[in-house]
DNA sequence: CTTAATCCTACCAATTAGGTCGGAAAACTT
DNA sequence: AAGTTTTCCGACCTAATTGGTAGGATTAAG
């Protein structure tokens, strides 16, 4: 497995927040129920997102979380770095910079192992895939998805071909 | 961590075999010593490579392993699939086909979670990076590497600008 | 002042990672 | 034939990580 459930749940949480039309805060309890995720665990995950300033919170009754930034400006590499700490394809890659790009530790100077060459490519592929996916894109995907299931959510016309 | 040491050691082992000029078999013991890896563990790893028909073995004294195929035709996605079983970015991805490309299990029909969309992209990025890297490329990289360190290995000319 | 929420820290069980051990079987050497 | 070198195979083992729970403190709304 590449990513843990922290990334999985964290992304789902962000998508859920992004689906909210207004920016009134949503409680974790509501998200936990709608997504079927354990509340206590979500609490720890959302703390990572908050530390990365991807979400904002308001405490107390009627409190909850909302997105701190425009979903279109939030790329998934930022999200994954916030949740998982880094994007390292191999344990010999050790945290260094702030963008999830890390260096191979058992390569000191100009020396380089051939495998480092490979893992760097893989890392690049992952980061590029993450970077070109925005939260807005995932939110749009999610909205289109249940629009296809529930034809007329509120004020939509033409609920045709909804057979089966 | 994306890949485990199985992938790391397995690739290093293959590179080591690829560096061998003739195709006389190399013993695991020799590789374990030159790479500083535990022999018993390497045995289990090379078994995976053999099962995938990436290496061949001869038993007994003066036996060992050699590459079963032209290094230029061996792409890293094949290697990683042989070693790790599959390339799944997320635990909800479940083994299916034979090329390391797997499907998300909690998406049954046409339904798709937004995160699946993301993990598929990541998986694609990884597989593409692996697929465009051949064993021959890594071997060449490795050979060039210690050529740079030890200027004149055998019959090489012009060991110039080797200062510092 | 009660309730609903975020926050925070410690604990915990199951799985996996990474590796060891002991020995069997095969092929070569003497 | 005996011994040595190797592959082969399966059980075992330890430490770390994952994925979670528990319990409470804090903050704000009604």
């Amino acid at each position: 497995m590449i990513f843990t459930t922290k990334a999985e749940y964290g992304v789902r949480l962000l998508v859920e927040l992004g689906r909210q039309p207004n920016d009134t805060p949503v409680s974790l309890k509501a998200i936990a129920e709608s997504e079927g995720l354990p509340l206590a665990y979500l609490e720890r995950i959302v703390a990572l997102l908050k530390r990365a300033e991807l979400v904002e919170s308001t405490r107390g009754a009627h409190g909850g979380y909302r997105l701190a930034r425009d979903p279109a400006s939030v790329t998934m590499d930022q999200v994954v770095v916030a949740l998982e700490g880094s994007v390292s394809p191999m344990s010999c890659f050790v945290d260094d910079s702030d963008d999830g790009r890390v260096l191979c530790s058992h390569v000191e100077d100009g020396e380089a192992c051939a495998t480092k060459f490979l893992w760097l490519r893989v890392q690049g592929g992952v980061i590029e895939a993450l970077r070109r996916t925005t939260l807005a894109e995932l939110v749009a995907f999610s909205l289109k998805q249940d629009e296809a299931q529930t034809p007329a959510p509120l004020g939509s016309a033409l609920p045709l071909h909804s057979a089966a």
Side-chain angles (χ1 to χ4, degrees), chain A:
Chain A
M1 167 177 17
I2 291 189
F3 298 122
T4 68
T5 53
K6 271 193 279 199
E8 166 82 22
Y9 296 175
V11 171
R12 282 165 71 179
L13 189 143
L14 286 177
V15 169
E16 201 66 23
L17 291 184
R19 289 164 54 93
Q20 231 59 30
N22 40 19
D23 60 344
T24 56
V26 186
S27 77
L28 273 198
K29 193 180 166 202
I31 293 183
E33 279 167 4
S34 82
E35 293 279 325
L37 300 177
L39 171 61
Y41 193 32
L42 268 190
E43 285 183 356
R44 285 193 2 206
I45 289 170
V46 81
L48 301 170
L49 296 173
K50 182 170 188 200
R51 202 169 310 160
E53 299 185 323
L54 289 167
V55 303
E56 290 169 348
S57 64
T58 45
R59 300 172 69 152
H62 293 136
Y65 295 90
R66 76 195 88 76
L67 294 181
R69 295 167 40 192
D70 174 17
S73 82
V74 176
T75 57
M76 284 302 118
D77 64 309
Q78 299 164 354
V79 172
V80 167
V81 166
L83 291 165
E84 303 277 3
S86 66
V87 178
S88 350
M90 186 53 60
S91 59
C92 69
F93 277 53
V94 147
D95 276 42
D96 189 10
S97 66
D98 53 345
D99 65 344
R101 217 172 267 277
V102 287
L103 302 173
C104 186
S105 62
H106 68 62
V107 173
E108 274 83 26
D109 261 338
E111 189 199 1
C113 48
T115 54
K116 174 189 178 179
F117 179 77
L118 173 61
W119 306 136
L120 277 177
R121 265 201 191 166
V122 170
Q123 183 184 44
V126 172
I127 291 182
E128 194 213 354
L130 290 172
R131 183 126 56 199
R132 74 168 192 267
T133 308
T134 67
L135 179 55
E137 196 175 354
L138 294 186
V139 168
F141 184 89
S142 171
L143 289 173
K144 188 190 314 187
Q145 206 64 29
D146 49 45
E147 183 184 335
Q149 288 216 324
T150 317
L154 267 177
S156 126
L158 307 179
L160 296 185
H161 46 60
S162 55

